[in-house]
Amino acid sequence: MEQNNETSGGDFILLGFSDQPQFEVILFAVVLISYLLTLLGNTAIILVSCLDPKLHTPMYFFLTNLSFLDLCFTTSIVPQLLWNLKGPTKTITPTGCAVQLCVSLSLGSTECVLLTIMAFDHYVAVCSPLNYSTIMHPSFCKALAGIAWLSGVGNTLIQGTITLQLPRCGHHQLHHFLCEVPAVIKLACVDIHANEVWLFVATLVLLLLPMALILVSYGFIVQAVMKLKSAQAWHKTVGTCGSHLIVVSLYFGTSSVIYIQPKKSYGHSQGKFLTLFYTVVTPTLNPLIYTLRNRDVKGALRRLLRSDQNS
């Protein structure tokens, strides 16, 4: 690694899992398979949601946004990770690091808001079914999706700009496999208290607040579900909301540890594996969760396959 440090010039060195070279071979295969499944699963959901008229509803509009977001999110991280895992070179250019930090931060923030909007959509569907089509009008849904994407961009303009402007005094070794705000600010050779405050505020607004809103939404949903007398309606509601809750738990559960817990509460290895989970594994699981637990998506997939065979 010292040789890489000398020959890399101004490039950043992503130490990643370089202290476990045998594990890197296994991890390369796992990450590659996960990435291919992510591409396949999320692309299938986008195509099915767009091509099947029965899925032209607010729920699947937001699910399409989530799938597209996951595709972009993993693509901003995984190719570089695979390149670093396959050989001794573990570098990334300063421009590449800045782009990766900004893109992944923007998409990660957008996902927090989008998952909250999806919880609100479920809340309206269950608690105000008669007014659902009026409230969740297509133009309103587009506006909500736009707010989610703009919130991610806004967070990046603040967090990314402040983080990338920090003086590093020649420090280029990142104890991580990607350029992420908590890892990059550790390279600073100045007091980073202000950065930590900004990171905490952003975490409150884009992580803790969405989590609270999701919990409130599902609190009302649980109350409404308990009053349902139709077993079929009850199972459909539980199945749909259950899929979303699993996705929320996987994403918020792991990302909150990275951004909320004190730095010294987990070691480098644990932090890297948690980041690996919510950046690589979760986008792979999302389409599986929504297709395996959702009859509408499975039915749309069958109809799409039949139409291809008939043609």
Side-chain angles (χ1 to χ4, degrees), residues 33-43 70-71 74 280 283-284 287:
I33 293 171
S34 295
Y35 183 52
L36 293 176
L37 290 175
T38 298
L39 295 178
L40 178 63
N42 286 289
T43 301
D70 281 341
L71 283 175
T74 52
V280 178
T284 305

Side-chain angles (χ1 to χ4, degrees), residues 200-217:
F200 179 72
V201 172
T203 301
L204 285 178
V205 175
L206 291 169
L207 199 60
L208 294 181
L209 181 59
M211 287 173 64
L213 292 175
I214 290 172
L215 290 175
V216 170
S217 297

Side-chain angles (χ1 to χ4, degrees), residues 214-265:
I214 290 172
L215 290 175
V216 170
S217 297
Y218 276 102
F220 287 113
I221 289 174
V222 169
Q223 290 182 344
V225 168
M226 298 300 290
K227 298 176 183 178
L228 292 177
K229 296 181 180 180
S230 171
Q232 184 178 0
W234 190 88
H235 285 297
K236 182 177 181 180
T237 302
V238 171
T240 302
C241 295
S243 299
H244 183 251
L245 271 177
I246 292 173
V247 171
V248 166
S249 300
L250 291 173
Y251 185 78
F252 281 96
T254 50
S255 59
S256 62
V257 175
I258 301 296
Y259 285 91
I260 295 177
Q261 280 194 349
K263 296 177 184 178
K264 295 181 181 179
S265 63

Side-chain angles (χ1 to χ4, degrees), residues 138-184:
S139 59
F140 181 59
C141 293
K142 292 177 182 178
L144 289 176
I147 290 172
W149 287 94
L150 287 175
S151 64
V153 173
N155 183 43
T156 301
L157 290 175
I158 298 172
Q159 287 283 355
T161 302
I162 295 174
T163 300
L164 294 172
Q165 286 181 343
L166 285 172
R168 291 179 291 272
C169 302
H171 299 157
H172 291 94
Q173 288 193 353
L174 277 168
H175 291 275
H176 218 307
F177 62 84
L178 80 159
C179 292
E180 194 177 34
V181 172
V184 173

Side-chain angles (χ1 to χ4, degrees), residues 31 38 47 65 84 98 131 136 154 169 182 223 241 282 286 293 305:
V31 171
T38 298
L47 290 176
N65 274 265
N84 289 347
N131 298 320
M136 302 306 292
C169 302
Q223 290 182 344
C241 295
T282 300
N286 285 356
R293 295 179 58 87
L305 291 174

Side-chain angles (χ1 to χ4, degrees), residues 10 18 28 57 72 103 116 127 150 160 175 179 256 300:
S18 56
F28 178 88
T57 63
C72 297
V103 172
T116 308
C127 299
L150 287 175
H175 291 275
C179 292
S256 62

